[in-house]
Amino acid sequence: MTLEATVSMGWVSTVVDAAQRLGVDPQSLLMTAGIPFEALSWERWPIDYITRLWHSAEQCTGDSGLGLKAGTGVRPASIDIVSFALQSAATLREAVSLVQRYQRLISDGGRFQMLPGNRGTWLVYHPRQGRLAFSPHQLEAVLSAVVTFSGWLSGDSLSVLRVQFSHSRLGHAAGYQRVFNCPVEFEQAFSGLLIANKDLDEPLPNVDARLAKVHEQYSQDRLAALDGERVSVQGLRRWLWTQLSQSLPRRVDAARALGVSQRTLARRLQAEGQTFNSLLDDVRREWALQAVAKGEQSLADIAQALGYAEASTFYRAFHRWTGMPPARWRKQSAGR
């Protein structure tokens, strides 16, 4: 069963920070993306959320070098706890193998493949999209992040022999030259870096076999815990948020997205004192309050987005939640 793809907040922060460096504050960025500001407190995001964030950042900044700038701004915190394991790796090739193994802790939104050759090895990135098509800036951020983080691990610039992207060129050639310092080709069959084997196999300065085992065990434990964290009240709340406005979320769809049976889902929620219907009602309420206060949609459209067959049913639910009709709530919110 394929689980819904998600991404760590560390990687989300690379986009938010890049946009902020370019003059766009986080609240404006999320508002343009149609993502609730409270999402910044979540542990992970659905993959379509970060795709919407990328498109928002592209729109708000108008910067054709956005992806490259986000990637070069990557820090150990950007790749979550995987960075600890990488810091103890013996070589960059081993570090890439660790990323392949623990990629899900950073993001389910893609995977790396190594294709060894005589002089160099292709490091190919295969994106895994959700319902929304990735922004090409996402791909440029990933490959520039590889170069940046490799330099951080080795203490020296990475010798990239060639770079190619599956999309058309986004920015000026000089921007790509600054990041990769090698020929860059576009509209190719795949996106990837050709890295010199000597760089991949050069011993790293911080290699520590004993520490590497500790970090690797910790990464394994976190990977095992990740599936359990999906099937929780917080995990289900995140999923419900992403589904509202598309269709009324069903219990069977939630169980499928979280990779468990409906019975297991019910048991996990019961252990936290919740049910699927109570959580759905709670998320509907929060979604409705935000949408009504925002004032961009008609009340009828909001009712339809929330899965109410009749607007009158939505009005009664809203009155139950707030003690007042939605029109009055909207008026009061506008006056604050």
Side-chain angles (χ1 to χ4, degrees):
M1 180 179 292
T2 302
L3 300 178
E4 182 185 42
T6 60
V7 58
S8 71
M9 287 307 300
W11 190 245
V12 170
S13 295
T14 62
V15 191
V16 175
D17 292 346
Q20 200 160 16
R21 290 194 297 271
L22 293 169
V24 180
D25 65 273
Q27 190 159 6
S28 299
L29 184 66
L30 267 69
M31 184 177 297
T32 303
I35 297 172
F37 193 70
E38 70 172 45
L40 289 179
S41 66
W42 296 354
E43 292 182 9
R44 293 180 73 86
W45 274 17
I47 200 67
D48 279 344
Y49 263 40
I50 195 169
T51 298
R52 285 160 60 182
L53 191 72
W54 273 109
H55 287 298
S56 173
E58 182 179 356
Q59 177 185 340
C60 291
T61 66
D63 195 309
S64 60
L66 172 66
L68 297 178
K69 291 172 182 176
T72 54
V74 75
R75 297 293 181 267
S78 305
I79 59 172
D80 206 30
I81 62 172
V82 179
S83 64
F84 295 122
L86 300 188
Q87 290 174 51
S88 305
T91 63
L92 282 179
R93 193 183 298 275
E94 182 180 301
V96 172
S97 296
L98 289 170
V99 170
Q100 289 176 311
R101 194 176 313 164
Y102 302 118
Q103 172 72 36
R104 286 186 54 219
L105 293 175
I106 308 168
S107 171
D108 296 317
R111 65 179 180 88
F112 287 101
Q113 178 186 19
M114 282 195 287
L115 301 174
N118 292 331
R119 185 185 172 203
T121 294
W122 273 107
L123 181 60
V124 180
Y125 182 68
H126 300 281
R128 178 193 170 193
Q129 299 176 158
R131 294 185 183 89
L132 304 178
F134 273 4
S135 162
H137 288 288
Q138 290 174 265
L139 303 181
E140 295 197 353
V142 169
L143 295 195
S144 60
V146 170
V147 173
T148 300
F149 204 82
S150 296
W152 187 83
L153 288 175
S154 66
D156 199 2
S157 58
L158 182 65
S159 180
V160 182
L161 304 177
R162 183 177 156 197
V163 177
Q164 62 181 50
F165 290 103
S166 55
H167 56 263
S168 302
R169 194 178 80 184
L170 301 178
H172 300 294
Y176 294 97
Q177 183 64 27
R178 278 195 301 271
V179 175
F180 300 113
N181 195 30
C182 71
V184 181
E185 298 177 352
F186 300 90
E187 299 182 45
Q188 301 300 307
F190 60 82
S191 297
L193 308 166
L194 181 60
I195 305 173
N197 286 330
K198 66 178 181 62
D199 274 22
L200 285 173
D201 298 320
E202 183 76 17
L204 292 175
N206 297 320
V207 57
D208 187 327
R210 292 177 62 186
L211 197 56
K213 287 184 178 180
V214 173
H215 288 155
E216 192 165 351
Q217 183 60 55
Y218 183 56
S219 297
Q220 289 175 1
D221 292 343
R222 287 295 301 126
L223 195 60
L226 183 58
D227 288 338
E229 290 170 2
R230 290 176 187 267
V231 191
S232 64
V233 167
Q234 190 60 31
L236 182 56
R237 283 176 63 86
R238 289 196 299 268
W239 182 82
L240 289 171
W241 258 106
T242 66
Q243 301 306 302
L244 287 173
S245 81
Q246 300 177 44
S247 61
L248 183 63
R250 302 180 303 165
R251 184 184 290 102
V252 62
D253 298 323
R256 185 179 298 116
L258 299 174
V260 296
S261 68
Q262 292 187 64
R263 181 175 297 179
T264 298
L265 176 61
R267 189 170 62 249
R268 298 276 183 88
L269 293 178
Q270 185 179 20
E272 297 187 54
Q274 291 281 1
T275 67
F276 178 84
N277 287 337
S278 65
L279 267 181
L280 177 58
D281 189 59
D282 192 35
V283 173
R284 263 176 150 183
R285 178 184 61 81
E286 293 177 14
W287 202 98
L289 296 184
Q290 186 175 93
V292 171
K294 199 171 182 181
E296 295 180 353
Q297 294 175 277
S298 70
L299 298 177
D301 286 344
I302 294 173
Q304 185 176 18
L306 290 172
Y308 290 97
E310 301 289 340
S312 59
T313 308
F314 167 62
Y315 296 160
R316 286 196 297 272
F318 198 93
H319 196 281
R320 172 168 56 85
W321 293 329
T322 65
M324 67 179 71
R328 189 189 303 172
W329 177 273
R330 172 169 285 177
K331 187 176 180 180
Q332 285 191 3
S333 299
R336 290 172 187 168

